[in-house]
Amino acid sequence: MQRRMILLAALGAASLLPALAGAAGEPTVSVKHRMDIKTPPGKVLVELTFTNQGKTTVWLPREMAAGTELTGARFDLRDAGGKPIAYTGKMVKRAALTAADYQPLAPGKMLTNTIDITNTYAFAKGRHNYNIGYTGPVLADVKQLDKPVEFPARPVSFIATLK
């Protein structure tokens, strides 16, 4: 009986650790990513919405938060059979990202950005089904560029008709 009480006490204490970490000054980070795909004639547009549900400012990759074109394969794009669709867009070789490459998002705020990916992935001509995913890296501390936290967006299925 005493062993069971010790186990219950230990489990109870362990359940309080996240709350205590937040109280001890550790940032509480919670970001929701949402993707919507729009396919006007001949185009594939990815609308990303970022919502900071945490208690501290977070930093998003500026390319995704405010950019209009990609500089590398940022999405996991696949056909209906699960085969990856090749990234064919611009590839920019550059130095490591700096704080200037991130966009701050204050607690409780939302940001939406639309990126045209029509010419950056090898979409097949005609009408086809696709699935797209985004891992959603976020920085909790812009001074720790090597410690992104991922908040993946829910994958989205869509139909594109391209000529």
Side-chain angles (χ1 to χ4, degrees):
M1 187 69 158
Q2 185 178 9
R3 192 170 152 183
R4 183 174 182 198
M5 293 298 285
I6 292 171
L7 180 61
L8 288 173
L11 287 172
S15 69
L16 292 175
L17 287 178
L20 293 174
E26 299 244 347
T28 304
V29 177
S30 178
V31 177
K32 180 180 178 188
H33 289 97
R34 189 181 81 226
M35 276 190 307
D36 291 314
I37 308 300
K38 298 182 186 209
T39 55
K43 297 250 181 221
V44 178
L45 307 174
V46 178
E47 183 181 86
L48 290 167
T49 301
F50 308 91
T51 305
N52 184 351
Q53 299 175 321
K55 297 179 180 179
T56 62
T57 297
V58 296
W59 287 265
L60 309 168
R62 191 173 299 281
E63 177 179 25
M64 304 307 286
T68 57
E69 64 180 340
L70 299 178
T71 60
R74 306 294 181 241
F75 299 104
D76 179 18
L77 185 64
R78 296 175 182 270
D79 67 16
K83 180 182 172 196
I85 304 300
Y87 177 79
T88 58
K90 177 171 44 170
M91 291 291 284
V92 176
K93 193 166 193 157
R94 51 171 291 162
L97 296 178
T98 66
D101 295 310
Y102 289 89
Q103 172 84 31
L105 184 61
K109 298 295 181 182
M110 182 171 63
L111 183 145
T112 300
N113 186 40
T114 302
I115 302 171
D116 184 345
I117 65 168
T118 310
N119 298 317
T120 55
Y121 286 88
F123 289 101
K125 294 187 187 305
R127 182 180 167 96
H128 298 278
N129 294 324
Y130 297 96
N131 298 302
I132 188 169
Y134 174 63
T135 57
V138 171
L139 289 178
D141 182 353
V142 77
K143 294 178 181 133
Q144 296 182 350
L145 298 171
D146 60 336
K147 295 184 180 179
V149 179
E150 291 186 355
F151 292 93
R154 173 179 281 158
V156 175
S157 296
F158 65 97
I159 297 172
T161 304
L162 301 172
K163 295 182 179 186

